[in-house]
Amino acid sequence: MTARIFLKLIAGVLCVLVVALAAVDILVSKIAETSFRETLERELVQKGHMLDLTFGDETGDALRRRTREIAQASGARVTLIDHQGVPLADSEADVVRMENHKARSEFAVALSGRTGAETRRSTTRNIDFLYVALPHHLGAVRLAVPLAEVQSQVDQIRRRMLISTGLAFLPAFLVAAWFARRVSFKLGAIIDYARKLAEGHFSARLSSIGSDELGILGSKLNDTGVKLERMFEQLQHEHQELENQERIRKDFVINVSHELRTPLASIQGYTETLLDGAVHDPAHNVQFLNIIRQNAERLTNLAGDLLTLSRTEHGNQKFQFASYHTGKLLMDCADAMRPLAQKKSLVIETLPAPTGQEVFCDWKAVHQALCNLLENAIKYTPDGGRITLGADGAARPGFIRFFVRDTGIGIPKQELPRLFERFYRVDKARSRELGGTGLGLAIVKHLARSHGGDVAVESEPGKGSTFSFTLPDHDNGIGDHAPSHASLDAPRVSAE
């Protein structure tokens, strides 16, 4: 690319130099020819005046001999005519055979008393001559020289001029070649970079090529590349988000359908059994009604969790933010869940919070998040186990970490990144047996992010799990700038 541009620039420079040289040649040739002709004409006039004094009263052969001598001395053809135009003597031709010259333009002017000059082809010698005629006491005298001498001198001047101009153009050509090389290099780099941008290589950058106009163009192209790269990355990110949202939507529909199918089928089956006569069977009717009630409660819990999750995701959940003592939040939640834990002989231990420690949050939302974590811990912790509830400083400045630690069955490492997804269960059969909706951890995640915090989990099979979320310890404006649905649903869960 660079070589092709260089050759085109050099060819353009050569064309300009050739045209300039041709123009100089034409102008100089014309000027030289005009100058030589005018000089020759003046010389002939001067010689003509001298001849007027040289001619005597000779006639006949003596006059013709005298004319040839004068022509040889002056270096020009000499012709003498009388007042009627009849040739009297000529240095090169026989006057007897010569026609009357009165009609010749130069003689006509000379016979009128002035100097006449004319350029034309001679009929006797068939070459171009310069004729100059002057008045004479016998009539008129004319001197003529061939123009070949003028042309010879003009050609000599042209040759010298062309050689001199060519030598003068040589350094100009070298400078032009250097300039063409620089310009071709810059243009080649710019074209190559533009090609990369057209092919989608937006991360490519053009190295600095100077501060001139081409350098400014290269800098602007670099800025364009940066903007295109950012736009492309943003489009990729948005495309990925759309794909994630579509996947979440499909999974959500499938999971909700599956979660609804099981209790509805159970309710329908046992209702039909009761209608078929089992309602009068005292040994089974109460059992069947309890099963129907349990599945109805499961549907109610599922509907409530879905409503809470939907409101939180779409920013429709109304929060009442205020500052609350950390210890009071922990104690309230522990007291609410302790009866459920006592049924499995589980101990809920609440670690004392630092004196005066507060968080800025919605009390109901935090209470629901802590209760969801405690409920999960109770479900998956064997009888006689221990659950620890507490709060400490988070790694992120300005936030408090709430955690629930159990001595349960633990979770495999590969399952941790997906724990906070809707309806995701590590052990699906056991989860449904325990009556969970599969939305508890997803609700915790969205409630935490609605407060500007985040969630985390660390676990090891057989050694229990620790679930945590963070809340701000002061008013950081989160109440005025609630996160969008996309930010709430983005996969930011960390497995500590």
Side-chain angles (χ1 to χ4, degrees), residues 97-203:
R97 298 179 181 178
M98 294 176 61
E99 60 184 7
N100 192 293
H101 281 41
K102 188 176 183 178
R104 305 291 172 91
S105 59
E106 68 275 10
F107 276 122
V109 174
L111 291 174
S112 66
R114 295 177 289 116
T115 301
E118 180 67 24
T119 300
R120 65 173 179 275
R121 183 171 291 273
S122 171
T123 56
T124 57
R125 300 201 35 197
N126 197 29
I127 59 174
D128 291 333
F129 271 84
L130 172 62
Y131 298 97
V132 175
L134 298 93
H136 190 268
H137 66 278
L138 296 177
V141 61
R142 184 184 71 182
L143 288 83
V145 292
L147 289 178
E149 180 181 352
V150 175
Q151 189 62 42
S152 174
Q153 294 182 8
V154 171
D155 290 341
Q156 186 177 1
I157 290 177
R158 288 181 61 191
R159 284 194 297 271
R160 292 177 180 176
M161 182 273 301
L162 290 175
I163 294 174
S164 300
T165 306
L167 293 176
F169 279 176
L170 182 59
F173 177 77
L174 294 177
V175 172
W178 174 81
F179 179 75
R181 180 63 181 171
R182 282 178 54 84
V183 172
S184 62
F185 170 76
K186 294 180 179 181
L187 284 176
I190 290 174
I191 293 173
D192 184 63
Y193 180 59
R195 177 184 57 79
K196 291 180 180 178
L197 290 181
E199 293 175 354
H201 301 298
F202 303 129
S203 60

Side-chain angles (χ1 to χ4, degrees), residues 289-310:
L289 288 173
N290 281 330
I291 294 174
I292 292 174
R293 179 182 60 80
Q294 290 172 0
N295 282 280
E297 289 178 353
R298 183 176 175 183
L299 288 176
T300 301
N301 293 334
L302 178 60
D305 287 346
L306 286 173
L307 183 60
T308 300
L309 189 62
S310 176

Side-chain angles (χ1 to χ4, degrees), residues 145-345:
V145 292
L147 289 178
E149 180 181 352
V150 175
Q151 189 62 42
S152 174
Q153 294 182 8
V154 171
D155 290 341
Q156 186 177 1
I157 290 177
R158 288 181 61 191
R159 284 194 297 271
R160 292 177 180 176
M161 182 273 301
L162 290 175
I163 294 174
S164 300
T165 306
L167 293 176
F169 279 176
L170 182 59
F173 177 77
L174 294 177
V175 172
W178 174 81
F179 179 75
R181 180 63 181 171
R182 282 178 54 84
V183 172
S184 62
F185 170 76
K186 294 180 179 181
L187 284 176
I190 290 174
I191 293 173
D192 184 63
Y193 180 59
R195 177 184 57 79
K196 291 180 180 178
L197 290 181
E199 293 175 354
H201 301 298
F202 303 129
S203 60
R205 293 293 177 268
L206 180 64
S207 58
S208 177
I209 55 175
S211 58
D212 56 2
E213 288 76 8
L214 292 178
I216 295 174
L217 175 60
S219 177
K220 296 301 181 182
L221 283 177
N222 267 337
D223 294 342
T224 302
V226 171
K227 293 179 181 178
L228 287 174
E229 183 180 16
R230 290 175 181 172
M231 291 176 60
F232 184 70
E233 290 176 352
Q234 183 179 358
L235 288 174
Q236 282 186 320
H237 178 69
E238 292 176 355
H239 179 70
Q240 185 64 37
E241 283 190 350
L242 288 175
E243 288 184 344
N244 291 337
Q245 293 298 327
E246 181 64 17
R247 177 183 60 81
I248 292 172
R249 185 192 66 80
K250 291 180 180 179
D251 292 345
F252 181 77
V253 172
I254 294 172
N255 288 325
V256 169
S257 300
H258 185 77
E259 293 296 329
L260 291 175
R261 187 181 297 114
T262 301
L264 286 175
S266 179
I267 291 172
Q268 182 179 1
Y270 283 106
T271 301
E272 290 176 353
T273 301
L274 290 172
L275 291 175
D276 288 341
V279 70
H280 303 294
D281 183 1
H284 297 93
N285 55 7
V286 176
Q287 177 187 358
F288 292 167
L289 288 173
N290 281 330
I291 294 174
I292 292 174
R293 179 182 60 80
Q294 290 172 0
N295 282 280
E297 289 178 353
R298 183 176 175 183
L299 288 176
T300 301
N301 293 334
L302 178 60
D305 287 346
L306 286 173
L307 183 60
T308 300
L309 189 62
S310 176
R311 286 175 177 174
T312 307
E313 285 182 341
H314 292 86
N316 297 325
Q317 184 76 20
K318 301 300 181 182
F319 295 108
Q320 300 294 327
F321 290 95
S323 294
Y324 296 93
H325 288 288
T326 303
K328 185 65 168 58
L329 289 171
L330 296 174
M331 292 301 299
D332 289 345
C333 186
D335 291 342
M337 300 302 296
R338 190 166 281 113
L340 184 61
Q342 289 174 349
K343 292 181 180 180
K344 297 182 63 176
S345 301

